[in-house]
Amino acid sequence: MQARIYKRPKNAMQSGKALVDQWILDFAPAQAKKPDPLMGWAGSGDTQQQVQLKFESCEAAQAYADKHGIPAVVHTVPPKRLKIQAYADNFR
């Protein structure tokens, strides 16, 4: 089963940047989710979907995946570009 390694995104509901330096390794779903006949909740027999490992760096996550024979794909985040402008520029 394949895993993906990515950097945790910033929470859209808050302006803080806590935990954005963590790298996450999680597994792709092996089975499609299906509704439970009694409750109607979506679920599957694949328990690897629930596993989410946190690492300090991308290299540590890749080393873990290599050590355990997990094929992993790294998703990098493009650098942010800030457009610096003054408040007075709104009235030009």
Side-chain angles (χ1 to χ4, degrees):
M1 85 192 63
Q2 188 163 352
R4 65 182 184 142
I5 299 172
Y6 61 95
K7 195 168 188 177
R8 181 188 295 259
K10 186 174 103 40
N11 187 351
M13 304 306 269
Q14 298 176 350
S15 62
K17 295 182 180 178
L19 304 176
V20 294
D21 56 345
Q22 285 184 345
W23 286 82
I24 308 294
L25 183 141
D26 62 2
F27 295 94
Q31 295 178 353
K33 290 187 177 184
K34 56 186 177 203
D36 182 54
L38 179 62
M39 299 296 289
W41 296 342
S44 70
D46 181 26
T47 57
Q48 287 289 7
Q49 285 180 273
Q50 301 170 6
V51 177
Q52 190 178 56
L53 302 173
K54 300 173 181 89
F55 296 93
E56 295 294 322
S57 67
C58 179
E59 292 79 21
Q62 285 177 329
Y64 178 85
D66 292 340
K67 179 180 176 183
H68 294 284
I70 302 168
V73 176
V74 178
H75 298 279
T76 57
V77 180
K80 289 186 178 181
R81 297 182 189 180
L82 297 177
K83 181 180 176 186
I84 306 298
Q85 70 181 43
Y87 179 70
D89 293 341
N90 293 333
F91 303 102
R92 286 187 180 182

XYZ file of all heavy atoms in Angstrom:
722
model
N 0.834 -1.170 0.000
C 0.000 0.000 0.000
C 0.883 1.240 0.000
O 1.925 1.267 0.614
C -0.955 -0.048 1.159
C -0.457 0.450 2.472
S -1.530 0.052 3.829
C -1.466 -1.707 3.820
N 0.452 2.239 -0.715
C 1.254 3.434 -0.903
C 0.929 4.469 0.168
O -0.203 4.581 0.617
C 0.995 4.014 -2.281
C 1.924 5.134 -2.618
C 1.933 5.419 -4.096
O 1.351 4.693 -4.872
N 2.598 6.467 -4.481
N 1.953 5.220 0.525
C 1.791 6.282 1.510
C 2.140 7.612 0.868
O 2.769 7.672 -0.180
C 2.693 6.028 2.711
N 1.702 8.681 1.502
C 2.096 10.008 1.040
C 2.708 10.762 2.203
O 2.300 10.596 3.362
C 0.919 10.766 0.439
C -0.166 11.098 1.419
C -1.324 11.796 0.746
N -2.303 12.166 1.764
C -2.991 13.271 1.765
N -2.836 14.133 0.797
N -3.849 13.530 2.720
N 3.690 11.571 1.884
C 4.380 12.394 2.873
C 4.146 13.840 2.477
O 4.402 14.229 1.341
C 5.886 12.080 2.899
C 6.110 10.623 3.279
C 6.609 13.009 3.865
C 7.540 10.163 3.143
N 3.641 14.627 3.412
C 3.366 16.030 3.128
C 3.557 16.860 4.386
O 3.556 16.345 5.499
C 1.947 16.211 2.581
C 0.851 15.761 3.526
C 0.222 16.653 4.379
C 0.445 14.428 3.578
C -0.773 16.244 5.243
C -0.547 14.005 4.419
C -1.158 14.919 5.258
O -2.138 14.508 6.123
N 3.731 18.153 4.179
C 3.877 19.081 5.288
C 2.492 19.517 5.737
O 1.624 19.803 4.912
C 4.707 20.286 4.858
C 5.207 21.106 5.989
C 6.240 22.099 5.506
C 6.861 22.786 6.701
N 7.903 23.694 6.293
N 2.295 19.561 7.035
C 0.981 19.912 7.571
C 0.615 21.340 7.148
O 1.401 22.263 7.309
C 1.008 19.833 9.086
C -0.331 20.152 9.737
C -0.216 20.250 11.233
N 0.129 19.002 11.845
C -0.749 18.211 12.453
N -1.994 18.554 12.527
N -0.354 17.091 12.995
N -0.576 21.543 6.588
C -0.968 22.895 6.163
C -1.377 23.761 7.349
O -1.724 23.254 8.419
C -2.158 22.634 5.237
C -2.726 21.360 5.712
C -1.565 20.547 6.227
N -1.355 25.046 7.129
C -1.788 25.991 8.156
C -3.296 25.896 8.304
O -4.019 25.753 7.325
C -1.384 27.405 7.750
C -1.662 28.460 8.817
C -1.114 29.790 8.397
C -2.133 30.764 7.905
N -3.386 30.879 8.530
N -3.763 25.991 9.529
C -5.197 25.946 9.794
C -5.852 27.185 9.189
O -5.453 28.314 9.467
C -5.430 25.898 11.304
C -6.876 25.683 11.650
O -7.745 25.730 10.794
N -7.139 25.432 12.918
N -6.860 26.998 8.376
C -7.510 28.109 7.702
C -8.380 28.935 8.646
O -8.725 30.067 8.336
C -8.365 27.593 6.554
N -8.738 28.381 9.785
C -9.629 29.087 10.698
C -8.888 29.974 11.691
O -9.508 30.736 12.409
C -10.482 28.080 11.470
C -11.270 27.160 10.570
S -12.263 28.054 9.387
C -13.746 28.198 10.282
N -7.562 29.851 11.754
C -6.781 30.630 12.697
C -5.585 31.240 11.983
O -5.133 30.737 10.963
C -6.306 29.752 13.850
C -7.435 29.157 14.654
C -6.928 28.222 15.724
O -5.767 27.879 15.754
N -7.812 27.806 16.602
N -5.067 32.313 12.557
C -3.931 32.977 11.933
C -2.600 32.427 12.440
O -1.563 32.755 11.881
C -3.990 34.481 12.199
O -3.917 34.728 13.588
N -2.610 31.612 13.474
C -1.383 31.065 14.029
C -0.738 30.041 13.123
O -1.357 29.490 12.220
N 0.542 29.791 13.356
C 1.281 28.834 12.530
C 1.836 27.688 13.370
O 2.897 27.162 13.072
C 2.413 29.550 11.812
C 1.918 30.581 10.819
C 3.046 31.234 10.084
C 2.516 32.256 9.114
N 3.568 32.960 8.410
N 1.100 27.286 14.400
C 1.545 26.185 15.245
C 1.453 24.875 14.470
O 0.537 24.648 13.678
C 0.692 26.103 16.505
N 2.435 24.012 14.643
C 2.492 22.664 14.074
C 2.640 22.629 12.554
O 2.496 21.569 11.962
C 1.261 21.843 14.481
C 0.991 21.707 15.979
C -0.302 20.955 16.205
C 2.140 21.033 16.693
N 2.913 23.756 11.894
C 3.048 23.725 10.442
C 4.413 23.213 10.007
O 4.624 22.965 8.822
C 2.794 25.114 9.800
C 1.367 25.534 9.996
C 3.754 26.142 10.311
N 5.324 23.027 10.952
C 6.636 22.497 10.585
C 6.692 20.973 10.665
O 7.731 20.383 10.426
C 7.717 23.125 11.458
C 7.453 22.936 12.940
O 6.326 22.574 13.301
O 8.386 23.156 13.741
N 5.575 20.323 10.965
C 5.536 18.868 11.038
C 5.297 18.268 9.652
O 4.611 18.849 8.817
C 4.408 18.398 11.954
C 4.681 18.578 13.408
C 3.552 17.984 14.236
O 2.471 17.696 13.742
N 3.823 17.805 15.509
N 5.857 17.083 9.442
C 5.631 16.320 8.223
C 4.782 15.113 8.576
O 5.006 14.466 9.597
C 6.959 15.889 7.611
C 7.673 17.028 6.966
C 8.446 17.961 7.576
C 7.648 17.378 5.586
N 8.921 18.869 6.665
C 8.451 18.526 5.422
C 7.045 16.830 4.469
C 8.649 19.132 4.199
C 7.254 17.425 3.245
C 8.042 18.570 3.112
N 3.793 14.819 7.757
C 2.827 13.748 8.021
C 3.031 12.624 7.003
O 3.210 12.881 5.822
C 1.385 14.275 7.899
C 1.173 15.527 8.759
C 0.368 13.199 8.235
C 1.265 15.293 10.232
N 2.993 11.391 7.492
C 2.990 10.209 6.632
C 1.666 9.511 6.872
O 1.375 9.095 7.997
C 4.158 9.287 6.970
C 4.307 8.044 6.080
C 5.774 7.799 5.824
C 3.677 6.828 6.667
N 0.836 9.427 5.840
C -0.406 8.669 5.961
C -0.589 7.794 4.732
O 0.061 7.985 3.712
C -1.624 9.568 6.213
C -1.903 10.551 5.105
O -1.183 10.551 4.091
O -2.851 11.329 5.237
N -1.451 6.815 4.850
C -1.608 5.790 3.827
C -2.810 6.078 2.938
O -3.840 6.578 3.396
C -1.769 4.417 4.481
C -0.545 3.981 5.229
C -0.422 4.223 6.588
C 0.488 3.358 4.566
C 0.714 3.833 7.271
C 1.624 2.970 5.241
C 1.736 3.206 6.593
N -2.681 5.724 1.677
C -3.791 5.844 0.734
C -4.804 4.744 1.050
O -4.438 3.649 1.489
C -3.280 5.706 -0.691
N -6.086 5.014 0.827
C -7.091 3.987 1.121
C -6.963 2.786 0.185
O -6.798 2.937 -1.016
C -8.420 4.708 0.923
C -8.108 5.943 0.183
C -6.671 6.264 0.391
N -7.019 1.593 0.770
C -6.922 0.357 -0.008
C -8.301 -0.127 -0.454
O -8.419 -0.863 -1.421
C -6.230 -0.728 0.812
N -9.330 0.282 0.268
C -10.698 -0.108 -0.071
C -11.571 1.137 -0.153
O -11.319 2.128 0.529
C -11.301 -1.012 1.018
C -10.649 -2.340 1.184
C -11.312 -3.109 2.316
O -12.159 -2.600 3.027
N -10.924 -4.369 2.459
N -12.600 1.062 -0.948
C -13.557 2.155 -1.009
C -14.458 2.108 0.221
O -14.761 1.032 0.745
C -14.398 2.052 -2.271
N -14.889 3.268 0.682
C -15.805 3.310 1.819
C -17.211 2.965 1.346
O -17.609 3.287 0.238
C -15.788 4.697 2.453
C -14.499 4.999 3.152
C -14.585 6.296 3.900
C -13.284 6.525 4.650
N -13.335 7.723 5.466
N -17.939 2.296 2.224
C -19.319 1.927 1.908
C -20.194 2.251 3.113
O -19.717 2.241 4.255
C -19.398 0.440 1.552
C -18.859 -0.465 2.615
C -18.822 -1.903 2.164
C -18.190 -2.697 3.291
N -17.603 -3.913 2.896
N -21.461 2.547 2.895
C -22.327 2.897 4.023
C -22.675 1.673 4.875
O -22.907 0.583 4.352
C -23.569 3.484 3.366
C -23.564 2.948 1.994
C -22.126 2.697 1.628
N -22.703 1.881 6.165
C -23.102 0.838 7.098
C -24.611 0.641 6.981
O -25.373 1.614 6.971
C -22.728 1.260 8.517
C -23.068 0.215 9.548
O -22.632 -0.936 9.378
O -23.780 0.545 10.528
N -25.085 -0.621 6.866
C -26.525 -0.828 6.665
C -27.380 -0.376 7.853
O -28.519 0.046 7.666
C -26.664 -2.330 6.444
C -25.360 -2.935 6.727
C -24.338 -1.858 6.830
N -26.857 -0.421 9.065
C -27.659 -0.068 10.233
C -27.669 1.438 10.490
O -28.716 2.056 10.615
C -27.128 -0.814 11.458
C -27.853 -0.542 12.779
C -29.308 -0.982 12.664
C -27.169 -1.256 13.916
N -26.478 2.044 10.553
C -26.383 3.455 10.927
C -26.241 4.396 9.734
O -26.508 5.580 9.843
C -25.185 3.674 11.855
C -25.259 2.908 13.148
S -26.641 3.427 14.169
C -26.098 5.023 14.685
N -25.756 3.887 8.590
C -25.582 4.736 7.431
C -24.254 5.463 7.391
O -24.007 6.268 6.507
N -23.383 5.215 8.370
C -22.073 5.858 8.392
C -21.180 5.249 7.333
O -21.291 4.070 7.002
C -21.423 5.691 9.750
C -22.151 6.359 10.867
C -23.086 7.353 10.754
C -22.030 6.077 12.247
N -23.546 7.714 11.982
C -22.920 6.946 12.935
C -21.283 5.185 12.989
C -23.046 6.958 14.300
C -21.416 5.202 14.359
C -22.277 6.075 14.999
N -20.268 6.035 6.806
C -19.322 5.530 5.812
C -18.149 4.885 6.539
O -17.612 5.425 7.499
C -18.833 6.659 4.924
N -17.750 3.700 6.081
C -16.641 3.000 6.696
C -16.115 1.925 5.776
O -16.686 1.617 4.736
N -14.967 1.367 6.171
C -14.379 0.268 5.405
C -13.591 -0.611 6.361
O -13.384 -0.270 7.519
C -13.472 0.803 4.291
O -12.310 1.364 4.833
N -13.126 -1.729 5.861
C -12.334 -2.647 6.667
C -10.853 -2.291 6.689
O -10.071 -2.980 7.328
N -10.476 -1.246 5.991
C -9.076 -0.840 5.909
C -8.716 0.006 7.122
O -9.184 1.139 7.266
C -8.850 -0.046 4.618
C -7.416 0.385 4.451
O -6.525 -0.287 5.004
O -7.187 1.388 3.756
N -7.895 -0.539 8.014
C -7.511 0.201 9.221
C -6.281 1.080 9.008
O -5.994 1.920 9.854
C -7.226 -0.772 10.378
O -6.200 -1.683 9.976
C -8.470 -1.536 10.756
N -5.574 0.908 7.900
C -4.387 1.741 7.645
C -4.767 3.194 7.371
O -3.942 4.083 7.510
C -3.585 1.186 6.469
C -2.834 -0.081 6.788
C -1.651 0.175 7.718
O -1.440 1.249 8.241
N -0.877 -0.856 7.921
N -6.004 3.452 6.976
C -6.440 4.825 6.743
C -6.411 5.648 8.020
O -6.295 6.867 7.974
C -7.857 4.852 6.193
C -7.972 4.458 4.750
C -9.406 4.526 4.305
O -10.134 3.570 4.465
N -9.810 5.636 3.756
N -6.507 4.996 9.160
C -6.565 5.691 10.436
C -5.178 6.054 10.958
O -5.061 6.847 11.885
C -7.278 4.821 11.459
C -8.678 4.462 11.060
C -9.280 3.405 11.957
O -8.687 3.009 12.947
N -10.453 2.939 11.596
N -4.133 5.495 10.358
C -2.770 5.716 10.828
C -2.232 7.001 10.223
O -2.277 7.210 9.015
C -1.858 4.529 10.449
C -0.433 4.800 10.862
C -2.374 3.256 11.077
N -1.717 7.870 11.100
C -1.105 9.122 10.659
C 0.124 9.348 11.531
O 0.005 9.570 12.726
C -2.095 10.275 10.809
C -1.632 11.548 10.172
C -2.654 12.649 10.303
O -3.051 12.965 11.420
N -3.065 13.223 9.195
N 1.297 9.252 10.911
C 2.553 9.395 11.640
C 3.109 10.794 11.429
O 3.077 11.324 10.320
C 3.558 8.356 11.160
C 3.116 6.899 11.280
C 4.126 5.987 10.616
C 2.940 6.525 12.727
N 3.640 11.397 12.505
C 4.178 12.752 12.444
C 5.689 12.709 12.607
O 6.203 11.985 13.461
C 3.551 13.606 13.528
C 2.049 13.713 13.404
C 1.439 14.432 14.575
C -0.049 14.506 14.432
N -0.750 13.381 14.987
N 6.390 13.509 11.798
C 7.847 13.559 11.824
C 8.301 15.008 11.850
O 7.578 15.915 11.437
C 8.431 12.861 10.588
C 8.130 11.392 10.533
C 7.025 10.927 9.849
C 8.942 10.488 11.174
C 6.739 9.580 9.795
C 8.668 9.130 11.136
C 7.564 8.676 10.438
N 9.539 15.200 12.322
C 10.116 16.542 12.392
C 10.603 17.032 11.036
O 10.659 18.228 10.801
C 11.272 16.568 13.398
C 10.835 16.312 14.829
C 9.950 17.428 15.357
O 10.205 18.595 15.030
O 9.009 17.127 16.088
N 10.982 16.118 10.147
C 11.509 16.527 8.846
C 11.055 15.541 7.771
O 10.635 14.423 8.059
C 13.030 16.604 8.877
O 13.580 15.316 9.039
N 11.185 15.984 6.540
C 10.822 15.138 5.408
C 11.775 13.952 5.304
O 11.360 12.838 4.982
C 10.847 15.967 4.135
S 10.439 15.049 2.652
N 13.051 14.192 5.603
C 14.050 13.125 5.528
C 13.753 12.020 6.539
O 13.946 10.836 6.257
C 15.454 13.682 5.757
C 15.942 14.593 4.648
C 15.377 16.004 4.732
O 14.936 16.406 5.827
O 15.364 16.681 3.694
N 13.289 12.405 7.734
C 12.950 11.407 8.754
C 11.765 10.552 8.298
O 11.746 9.338 8.509
C 12.636 12.092 10.080
N 10.788 11.172 7.673
C 9.630 10.430 7.180
C 10.031 9.491 6.042
O 9.580 8.343 5.989
C 8.548 11.403 6.709
N 10.902 9.958 5.151
C 11.373 9.106 4.054
C 12.207 7.952 4.588
O 12.107 6.823 4.090
C 12.186 9.921 3.063
C 11.354 10.805 2.182
C 12.207 11.644 1.253
O 13.322 12.019 1.588
N 11.673 11.920 0.078
N 13.041 8.208 5.599
C 13.853 7.148 6.183
C 12.968 6.088 6.828
O 13.242 4.889 6.722
C 14.818 7.742 7.210
N 11.904 6.502 7.504
C 10.972 5.556 8.118
C 10.299 4.693 7.046
O 10.192 3.481 7.191
C 9.920 6.307 8.935
C 8.900 5.392 9.564
C 9.155 4.795 10.795
C 7.694 5.102 8.931
C 8.229 3.944 11.368
C 6.764 4.255 9.498
C 7.045 3.676 10.724
O 6.124 2.831 11.286
N 9.857 5.341 5.968
C 9.193 4.598 4.899
C 10.158 3.618 4.230
O 9.788 2.482 3.935
C 8.630 5.572 3.869
N 11.404 4.033 4.011
C 12.393 3.140 3.409
C 12.732 1.972 4.329
O 12.887 0.838 3.877
C 13.671 3.917 3.066
C 13.438 4.909 1.934
O 12.457 4.740 1.182
O 14.241 5.859 1.823
N 12.842 2.260 5.622
C 13.196 1.218 6.591
C 12.131 0.126 6.656
O 12.444 -1.053 6.776
C 13.377 1.851 7.973
C 13.726 0.865 9.058
C 13.882 1.563 10.393
C 14.136 0.569 11.495
N 14.212 1.228 12.808
N 10.858 0.527 6.536
C 9.763 -0.427 6.647
C 9.232 -0.889 5.294
O 8.211 -1.595 5.236
C 8.639 0.175 7.483
C 9.035 0.392 8.914
N 9.135 -0.627 9.824
C 9.400 1.511 9.579
C 9.512 -0.156 10.994
N 9.692 1.148 10.870
N 9.890 -0.495 4.209
C 9.498 -0.954 2.876
C 8.176 -0.397 2.389
O 7.450 -1.074 1.662
N 7.868 0.816 2.778
C 6.615 1.455 2.380
C 6.894 2.363 1.189
O 7.697 3.286 1.294
C 6.032 2.291 3.544
C 5.793 1.408 4.767
C 4.756 2.986 3.122
C 5.489 2.188 6.026
N 6.255 2.134 0.046
C 6.442 3.072 -1.071
C 5.738 4.388 -0.756
O 4.540 4.403 -0.459
C 5.796 2.362 -2.257
C 4.852 1.396 -1.651
C 5.390 1.017 -0.310
N 6.481 5.475 -0.785
C 5.931 6.770 -0.393
C 6.179 7.817 -1.469
O 7.195 7.788 -2.154
C 6.542 7.222 0.931
N 5.223 8.716 -1.592
C 5.322 9.842 -2.516
C 5.370 11.115 -1.678
O 4.534 11.308 -0.787
C 4.092 9.885 -3.462
C 4.143 11.100 -4.352
C 4.015 8.618 -4.266
N 6.343 11.981 -1.958
C 6.501 13.222 -1.210
C 5.801 14.345 -1.965
O 6.043 14.562 -3.145
C 7.991 13.567 -1.006
C 8.139 14.878 -0.266
C 8.689 12.444 -0.260
N 4.915 15.048 -1.265
C 4.228 16.208 -1.819
C 4.857 17.452 -1.186
O 4.681 17.688 0.006
C 2.729 16.169 -1.509
C 2.037 15.004 -2.106
N 1.638 14.977 -3.416
C 1.688 13.806 -1.579
C 1.058 13.823 -3.667
N 1.083 13.093 -2.567
N 5.570 18.217 -1.985
C 6.218 19.424 -1.465
C 5.281 20.620 -1.611
O 4.429 20.666 -2.494
C 7.523 19.714 -2.206
O 7.234 19.841 -3.597
C 8.528 18.601 -1.989
N 5.484 21.583 -0.740
C 4.678 22.794 -0.743
C 5.464 23.896 -1.443
O 6.626 24.123 -1.101
C 4.347 23.222 0.705
C 3.511 24.478 0.720
C 3.646 22.098 1.434
N 4.867 24.568 -2.428
C 5.604 25.655 -3.061
C 5.797 26.807 -2.077
O 4.960 27.024 -1.192
C 4.693 26.080 -4.220
C 3.350 25.596 -3.862
C 3.541 24.386 -3.000
N 6.895 27.546 -2.205
C 7.129 28.645 -1.264
C 6.091 29.754 -1.446
O 5.627 30.016 -2.555
C 8.532 29.140 -1.627
C 8.748 28.682 -3.024
C 7.966 27.421 -3.187
N 5.742 30.380 -0.326
C 4.760 31.456 -0.377
C 5.434 32.742 -0.845
O 6.557 33.044 -0.461
C 4.153 31.693 1.003
C 3.244 30.602 1.448
C 2.578 30.972 2.742
C 1.627 29.891 3.167
N 0.940 30.235 4.404
N 4.715 33.470 -1.658
C 5.193 34.771 -2.116
C 4.247 35.827 -1.563
O 3.060 35.845 -1.889
C 5.209 34.836 -3.631
C 6.151 33.854 -4.247
C 6.139 34.005 -5.742
N 6.890 32.916 -6.349
C 7.059 32.776 -7.644
N 6.543 33.645 -8.471
N 7.745 31.763 -8.117
N 4.786 36.703 -0.742
C 3.983 37.767 -0.164
C 4.076 39.007 -1.041
O 5.166 39.402 -1.458
C 4.463 38.093 1.243
C 4.333 36.974 2.269
C 4.909 37.420 3.601
C 2.884 36.595 2.440
N 2.932 39.593 -1.315
C 2.908 40.838 -2.062
C 2.870 41.971 -1.047
O 1.838 42.223 -0.419
C 1.686 40.879 -2.973
C 1.597 42.120 -3.808
C 0.361 42.099 -4.682
C 0.240 43.392 -5.448
N -1.016 43.453 -6.196
N 3.995 42.631 -0.872
C 4.097 43.707 0.108
C 3.558 44.983 -0.524
O 4.020 45.406 -1.581
C 5.562 43.914 0.543
C 6.172 42.602 1.030
C 5.660 44.996 1.600
C 5.507 42.015 2.242
N 2.567 45.566 0.122
C 2.050 46.833 -0.362
C 1.582 47.650 0.823
O 1.247 47.115 1.874
C 0.913 46.630 -1.355
C -0.371 46.090 -0.749
C -1.425 45.899 -1.808
O -1.125 45.413 -2.875
N -2.649 46.273 -1.520
N 1.552 48.931 0.631
C 1.113 49.844 1.672
C -0.395 50.047 1.584
O -1.011 49.832 0.533
C 1.838 51.186 1.530
N -0.978 50.473 2.670
C -2.410 50.746 2.695
C -2.767 51.858 1.721
O -3.835 51.862 1.114
C -2.817 51.121 4.118
C -4.275 51.454 4.270
C -5.242 50.479 4.164
C -4.687 52.762 4.512
C -6.584 50.778 4.303
C -6.023 53.075 4.641
C -6.972 52.085 4.541
O -8.295 52.383 4.679
N -1.868 52.802 1.536
C -2.120 53.936 0.634
C -2.230 53.470 -0.821
O -2.851 54.150 -1.649
C -1.009 54.962 0.768
N -1.672 52.313 -1.163
C -1.758 51.806 -2.534
C -3.189 51.469 -2.938
O -3.501 51.389 -4.126
C -0.879 50.563 -2.710
C 0.594 50.888 -2.587
O 0.951 52.073 -2.721
O 1.381 49.949 -2.375
N -4.081 51.266 -1.970
C -5.481 50.971 -2.288
C -6.199 52.166 -2.893
O -7.250 52.024 -3.517
C -6.228 50.533 -1.027
C -5.727 49.208 -0.506
O -5.223 48.400 -1.260
N -5.865 49.004 0.791
N -5.662 53.372 -2.700
C -6.334 54.585 -3.146
C -5.645 55.243 -4.328
O -5.913 56.390 -4.640
C -6.418 55.569 -1.970
C -7.122 54.972 -0.789
C -6.404 54.513 0.295
C -8.504 54.838 -0.780
C -7.045 53.932 1.383
C -9.140 54.284 0.295
C -8.419 53.816 1.381
N -4.792 54.543 -5.017
C -4.114 55.118 -6.181
C -4.968 55.000 -7.398
O -5.741 54.159 -7.631
C -2.788 54.414 -6.414
C -1.778 54.821 -5.392
C -0.447 54.251 -5.749
N 0.478 54.685 -4.697
C 1.733 54.407 -4.687
N 2.255 53.706 -5.638
N 2.484 54.843 -3.734
